[in-house]
């Protein structure tokens, strides 16, 4: 952590440091800020003897947190490495100039008030985030809906799980996840649909892996167009054609009926609409499902039999289901099967939407979506409008739903929304149709962005930026995928002038003249008000009920243990499972089957755009890399964006592994503001686990760290009609081979100005390494070295070697500054791959030895630096080392762990270790398995 940046005492009172209220002043119990698993984190805190700022020394998984019982994945275990102050936004700015809070707050308040006065409340909007804490979210929603008087507040959770919300509401009458993590361990069958949990919900995946080890009879089915790491523990994988989930589950419903596997008692007693749903499903025979989903009939039959014959089954689904123009239908097709077979409301059962973000569910609880009121009440319900307004005593309440994310930015683009405040999210990278989002924000009269980082693609568009606190400073609550509310505790005080989001929002509200509703002293006051609203006139009508927490003291709030809602007089210590009595929150108290006709994805492939583009997350990165991209510990696993393609597609198109592809879609061509923005450029990785005709690329990269790897540009506004969730898993794209004569790696001690990188290379992608930065580039600019020399005058000594090879020129160049290595550049026509650890070791030295200079010129590292791609981020074990160990007889993940320690800490790499064991066990030598150690029969 940078010692010279002061941490402010303006907003950080001792009350913020909630850990001081805990039993040990050296241990803070908080929650991981990344995914929806919501792991508890124990932070060792040290108060230096000289009375200086608290220091965070170590993180461990909380052994007593029911989400993770001591585990953390690699992202969680590297929380301290990403918690430094480099890259933080530390002061408010207007048009790039530092200002004080008074000026910034008044300016935002005046501008919003002026636009509302001139154009009405519908001319302003908030776009918020599942990264906000519930308390932040609550006041943002209260300001927009209760005081400004419009429902134009939406959240990036719209992109993540709004289809799951709509489906739960249609089926159960409430946005209520029926099951919990323990059910995943108790199930006979787990079906993962559109989920690579091994990478996206790693701790949950490890719990399941362990449960399967303890109970080998447990079956796991994965349903995903791609075969991912999650499939490593699966008994069956269905590589369905992208977008055909509803057909598959309609087929299952039909199968259950045909094979007498319905729970007729459950259907009769607790549900409605079964006949209509079955009517739609009955055309979905095994044959038709196999044909439409494009998978073997025998696999369809196996899956259906497994589901039908398992007494307890959980279907766990996430973005692969939700991010679709028919995401709500897909989720309902899954729920239909659980209702029809009575696999709901009991141990080991349920349709389980795994949320992506740490507080997606908390945002839903306080009404952070444009189509709901606070406390799970409905905007279009006059009684609910009255309940919320009377509780808030607010001047206004919206009567109609506001703009959902895609429509919101569309209205900004059209000029109807004239002021937007974006909080803790980066829509330039995460929203579809990047070109249109960029021109919307450029045109918008007034853009405010509050964030904890100083630089990202969206901040670059802001008129006003407001510094917010980050993890380790924020203080409040989050709700994870299983309805469990946990405390994220403030441990450090705010750095620079940063403030908590709830404070920023309340200050602006008061400056707009809304003194009454926003006078909170600390987050516990907001939490009590939120809990009170869930209880207010509830009478058992709404699932979300925190009435047992509405009067907790500040101390009790600080000591709040993780607890699952509802928490009320009947369930004072929370509720593990919902709907155990077969009663739902619909008007009839019965669950609703939904009759479904499968729909094709909205953007179809064509002769011009023949490939489907699927998208997703990688193991060690989170969202747009603004935090996880800060440390080499997390960038080493996958160091740049890529596009996966099946080898057959590659062969047909004359593409080889590592080639660069220019990827375009109809939408990228329509909305791009420049030629460069019309296309995404990435290296291709051939991947036999990919379906032919379908590509996959990760979502994390942006204009902040690469020239052209932000794939949001390729997705259109196509969205689910019910939920408004955009179709971020299915675009139609074309690929074109790019032939760059120069490919290389550029290592630098200091970050280079990206304008210089744009000048010297057509393609570049930058990551942090331990001692500086690594830029991968591709270029046809033979003058790039002279341009670098001109622009880096402090590098006084330049060394260069050139070799002619059959494949063309090879150049190795390095530059010294004050005797130490400042820059090393390796290029040839064939993408060199220098070992990062080797260059790190040289960058670390104050002066290079002659033999080291010579090694750089020959591009020949010491053999000690030949680990290859990083697989285990915790113990820094590379692929080559692991493969060598496998060849020496470490033929299991456990043996690799014993030998190299890889996989023995957070376990996130275990699926990759399994894959390596599988592919290298029999390569080049014979490995004797334990089972084969038996005497050979003689005389035969
Ligand atoms: Fe954080 Fe990993 Fe747990 Fe998700 S699984 S909450 S990223 S530690």
């Amino acid at each position: 952590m940078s010692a010279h940046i002061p941490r402010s005492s303006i907003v950080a009172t001792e009350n913020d440091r909630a850990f001081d209220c805990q039993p040990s002043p050296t241990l803070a119990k908080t929650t991981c800020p990344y995914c929806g698993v919501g792991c508890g984190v124990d932070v060792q805190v040290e108060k230096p003897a000289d009375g200086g700022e608290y220091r965070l020394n170590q993180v461990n998984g909380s052994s007593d947190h029911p989400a993770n019982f001591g585990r953390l994945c690699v992202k969680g275990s590297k929380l301290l490495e990403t918690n430094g102050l480099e890259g933080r936004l530390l002061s408010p700015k207007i048009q790039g100039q530092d200002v004080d809070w008074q000026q910034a707050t008044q300016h935002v308040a005046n501008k919003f008030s002026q636009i509302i006065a001139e154009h009405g409340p519908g001319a302003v909007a908030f776009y918020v985030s599942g990264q906000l804490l519930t308390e932040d979210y609550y006041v943002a929603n209260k300001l927009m809906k209760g005081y400004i008087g419009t429902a134009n507040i939406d959240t990036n959770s719209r992109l993540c799980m709004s289809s799951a919300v709509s489906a739960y509401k249609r089926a159960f009458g409430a946005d209520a996840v029926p099951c919990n993590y323990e059910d995943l361990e108790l199930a006979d069958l787990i079906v993962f649909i559109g989920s690579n949990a091994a990478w996206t919900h790693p701790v949950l995946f490890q719990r399941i892996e362990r449960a399967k080890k303890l109970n080998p009879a447990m079956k796991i089915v994965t349903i995903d167009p791609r075969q991912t790491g999650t499939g490593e523990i699966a008994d069956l994988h269905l590589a369905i054609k992208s977008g055909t989930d509803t057909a598959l589950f309609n087929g299952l419903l039909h199968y259950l009926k045909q094979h007498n596997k319905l729970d007729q008692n459950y259907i009769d007693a607790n549900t409605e609409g079964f006949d209509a749903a079955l009517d739609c499903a009955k055309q979905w025979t095994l044959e038709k499902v196999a044909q439409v989903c494009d998978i073997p009939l025998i696999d369809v039959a196996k899956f259906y039999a497994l589901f039908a014959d398992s007494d307890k089954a959980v279907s766990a689904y996430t973005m692969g289901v939700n991010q679709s123009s028919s995401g709500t239908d897909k989720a309902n097709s899954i729920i239909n099967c659980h209702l029809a077979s009575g696999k709901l409301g009991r141990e080991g059962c349920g349709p389980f939407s795994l949320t992506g973000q740490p507080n997606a569910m908390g945002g839903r609880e306080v009404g952070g979506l444009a189509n709901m009121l606070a406390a799970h009440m409905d905007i279009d319900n006059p009684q609910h409008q009255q309940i919320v307004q009377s509780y808030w005593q607010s001047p206004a309440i919206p009567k109609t739903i506001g703009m959902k994310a895609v429509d919101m930015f569309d209205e900004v683009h059209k000029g109807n929304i004239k002021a937007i405040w974006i909080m803790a999210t980066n829509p330039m990278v995460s929203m579809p149709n990047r070109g249109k989002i960029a021109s919307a924000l450029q045109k918008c009269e007034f853009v405010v962005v509050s964030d904890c980082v100083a630089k990202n693609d969206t901040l670059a568009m802001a008129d006003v930026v407001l510094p917010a606190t980050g993890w380790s400073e924020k203080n409040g609550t989050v709700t994870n995928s299983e309805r469990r509310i946990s405390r994220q505790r403030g441990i450090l005080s705010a750095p620079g002038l940063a403030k908590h989001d709830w404070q920023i929002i309340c200050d602006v509200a008061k400056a707009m003249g809304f003194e009454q509703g926003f006078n909170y002293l600390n987050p516990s006051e907001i939490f009590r008000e939120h809990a009170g609203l869930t209880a207010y006139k509830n009478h058992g009508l709404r699932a979300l009920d925190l009435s047992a927490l509405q009067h907790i003291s500040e101390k009790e709030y600080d000591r709040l243990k993780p607890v699952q809602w509802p928490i009320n007089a009947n369930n004072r210590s929370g509720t593990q499972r919902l709907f155990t009595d077969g009663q739902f929150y619909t008007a009839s108290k019965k669950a609703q089957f939904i009759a479904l006709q499968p729909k094709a994805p909205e953007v179809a492939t064509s002769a011009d755009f023949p490939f489907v583009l699927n998208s997703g997350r990688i193991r060690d990165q989170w969202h747009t890399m603004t935090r996880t991209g800060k440390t080499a510990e997390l960038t080493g696993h996958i160091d740049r964006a890529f596009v996966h393609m099946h080898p057959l597609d590659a062969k047909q198109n004359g593409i080889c592994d590592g080639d660069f592809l220019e990827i375009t879609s109809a939408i990228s061509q329509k909305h791009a503001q420049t030629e460069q923005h019309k296309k995404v450029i990435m290296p291709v990785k051939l991947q036999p686990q990919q379906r032919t005709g379908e590509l996959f690329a990760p979502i994390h990269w942006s204009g902040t760290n690469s020239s052209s790897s932000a794939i949001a540009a390729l997705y259109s506004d196509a969205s689910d009609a019910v939920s408004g969730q955009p179709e971020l898993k299915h675009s139609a794209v074309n690929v074109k081979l790019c032939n760059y004569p120069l490919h290389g790696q550029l290592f630098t001690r200091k970050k280079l100005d990206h304008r210089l990188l744009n000048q010297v290379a057509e393609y570049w992608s930058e990551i942090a390494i331990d001692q500086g930065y690594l830029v991968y580039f591709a270029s046809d600019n033979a003058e790039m070295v002279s341009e670098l020399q001109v622009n880096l005058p402090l590098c006084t000594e330049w060394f260069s070697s050139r070799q002619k090879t059959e494949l063309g020129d090879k150049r190795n160049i390095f530059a010294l500054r004050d005797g130490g290595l400042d820059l090393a550049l390796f290029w040839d026509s064939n993408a060199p791959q220098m070992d990062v650890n080797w260059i790190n070791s040289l960058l670390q030295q104050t002066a290079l030895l002659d033999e080291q200079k010579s090694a750089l010129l020959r591009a020949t590292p010491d053999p000690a630096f030949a680990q290859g791609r990083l697989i285990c981020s915790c113990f820094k074990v590379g692929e080559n080392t692991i493969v060598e160990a496998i060849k020496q007889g470490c033929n299991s993940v456990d043996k690799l762990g014993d030998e190299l320690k890889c996989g023995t800490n957070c376990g996130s790499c275990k699926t990759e270790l399994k894959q390596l064991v599988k592919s290298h066990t029999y390569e080049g030598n014979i490995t004797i398995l334990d089972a084969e150690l038996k005497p050979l029969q003689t005389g035969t």
Side-chain angles (χ1 to χ4, degrees), residues 472-724:
S472 84
E473 299 142 17
K474 287 177 85 67
N475 194 18
T477 54
V478 289
T479 311
N480 73 1
S481 294
E482 57 167 359
R483 290 175 280 105
R484 192 178 298 280
I485 298 170
S486 297
R487 288 281 278 109
Q488 201 180 99
R489 293 186 167 94
I491 306 169
L492 299 175
S493 54
L497 294 180
K499 284 188 189 187
H500 299 313
D501 286 283
W502 66 266
Q503 289 176 313
I504 302 173
I505 298 158
C506 289
D507 288 348
V508 169
K510 285 186 267 185
M512 288 176 78
F514 305 129
E515 281 289 339
Q516 287 308 311
F518 299 92
N519 278 315
Y520 306 102
L521 292 175
N522 58 55
S524 71
E525 290 186 357
I526 304 173
F527 182 83
R528 277 194 294 277
E529 185 179 310
H530 155 56
L533 180 51
T534 67
Y536 187 58
K537 300 193 178 174
N538 187 323
H539 311 303
L541 294 171
R542 306 191 303 271
L544 177 66
D545 179 0
L546 313 182
S547 47
L549 301 176
Q550 63 183 318
H551 301 301
I552 57 171
S553 67
E554 191 177 345
K555 207 168 204 168
E556 287 166 332
Y557 173 77
D558 285 338
R559 289 185 172 168
L560 187 67
K561 290 203 168 126
V563 60
Q564 284 174 285
W565 61 258
I567 311 145
N568 51 25
N570 299 331
N571 307 286
R572 296 202 77 83
S573 51
T575 310
Q576 276 192 297
R577 287 176 194 88
L578 295 178
F579 315 127
T580 48
D581 57 359
Q583 297 286 292
F584 296 84
Y585 291 90
T586 54
S588 62
K589 304 265 179 241
K590 297 196 172 195
Q592 302 296 305
F593 280 94
I594 307 294
L596 299 163
Q597 298 288 357
K599 295 185 198 104
E602 207 168 303
V603 180
T605 52
S606 63
D608 288 340
F609 300 101
F611 288 99
V612 168
L613 178 69
N614 188 359
S615 67
R617 288 189 260 162
I618 62 170
R619 193 191 77 188
D620 291 3
Q621 292 302 329
W622 177 253
H623 276 193
T624 62
M625 296 171 74
T626 51
R627 288 171 291 166
T628 47
K630 277 170 83 171
T631 173
E633 307 266 6
L634 296 177
T635 53
H637 175 235
I638 291 179
D639 54 13
R640 55 180 165 157
F642 57 84
V643 58
H644 276 161
M645 176 181 257
H646 193 278
L648 281 177
D649 287 329
K651 198 171 173 202
Q652 274 171 12
N653 290 278
I655 294 167
C656 299
D657 197 53
D659 280 347
F660 278 85
L661 297 185
E662 208 178 273
I663 311 170
T664 51
S665 70
I667 208 74
S668 73
Q669 297 193 330
K670 181 172 170 196
H671 283 291
Q673 292 166 314
T674 66
E675 269 310 303
Q676 194 201 359
H677 291 147
K678 282 188 177 164
K679 57 210 175 198
V680 165
I681 301 173
M682 291 195 271
V684 66
K685 283 189 188 177
L686 301 192
Q687 181 64 265
Q689 288 87 5
Q690 194 67 29
R691 282 176 57 89
T692 53
E694 298 191 10
L695 310 173
F696 172 85
I699 59 168
H700 309 286
W701 274 265
S702 68
T704 306
N705 50 28
S706 61
S707 56
S708 46
S709 305
I711 61 164
L714 302 168
Y715 287 93
S716 75
D717 289 347
S719 305
D720 182 287
V722 184
S723 70

Side-chain angles (χ1 to χ4, degrees), residues 14-60:
E14 285 305 307
N15 285 336
D16 279 332
R17 296 192 184 126
F19 74 94
D20 283 341
C21 301
Q22 297 185 85
S24 159
T26 58
L27 181 71
K29 292 183 97 55
T30 187
T31 311
C32 176
Y34 295 125
C35 83
V37 178
C39 297
V41 180
D42 288 353
V43 186
Q44 296 289 337
V45 186
E46 185 194 339
K47 172 92 173 161
D50 63 6
E53 180 58 51
Y54 287 92
R55 276 195 213 121
L56 310 187
N57 288 337
Q58 204 185 331
V59 291
N60 291 300

Side-chain angles (χ1 to χ4, degrees), residues 816-860:
L816 304 183
R817 183 172 160 184
D818 302 326
L821 181 65
D822 208 58
L823 172 152
L825 172 64
F826 303 92
W827 97 41
D828 62 26
S829 56
N830 205 21
Q833 281 291 333
M834 288 305 124
D835 190 282
V836 175
N837 293 325
W838 176 46
I839 306 295
N840 269 327
S841 76
L842 300 177
L843 284 167
Q844 223 168 359
Q845 293 176 214
T846 46
L848 292 190
L849 303 171
D850 283 347
E851 57 263 34
Q852 289 170 327
K853 291 180 190 170
S854 154
L856 276 171
L857 287 179
R858 285 183 284 110
T860 318

Side-chain angles (χ1 to χ4, degrees), residues 2 92 151 217 231 338 424 439 570 596 616 637 672 687 715 732 772 811-812 917 921 930:
S2 314
H338 280 267
S439 71
N570 299 331
L596 299 163
H637 175 235
Q687 181 64 265
Y715 287 93
R811 289 197 70 181
N812 308 320
V917 168
T921 298
D930 290 347

Side-chain angles (χ1 to χ4, degrees), residues 158-165 193-194 317-328 330-331 353-355 720 723 725-729:
R158 177 74 61 198
L159 318 179
C160 165
M161 40 82 267
S162 54
S163 293
V165 172
I193 310 129
Y317 50 98
T318 177
M319 310 328 162
V321 168
N322 300 334
Q323 289 180 331
S324 158
S325 55
S326 59
T328 307
K330 288 179 181 179
S353 150
L354 303 179
T355 52
D720 182 287
S723 70
Q725 181 151 0
E727 188 151 62
L728 284 165
K729 293 285 183 196

Side-chain angles (χ1 to χ4, degrees), residues 127 156 159 425-432 623-624 699 712 726 728:
Y127 184 63
N156 61 7
L159 318 179
T425 182
N426 192 1
M428 276 288 295
V429 187
S430 50
M431 282 288 293
H623 276 193
T624 62
I699 59 168
L728 284 165

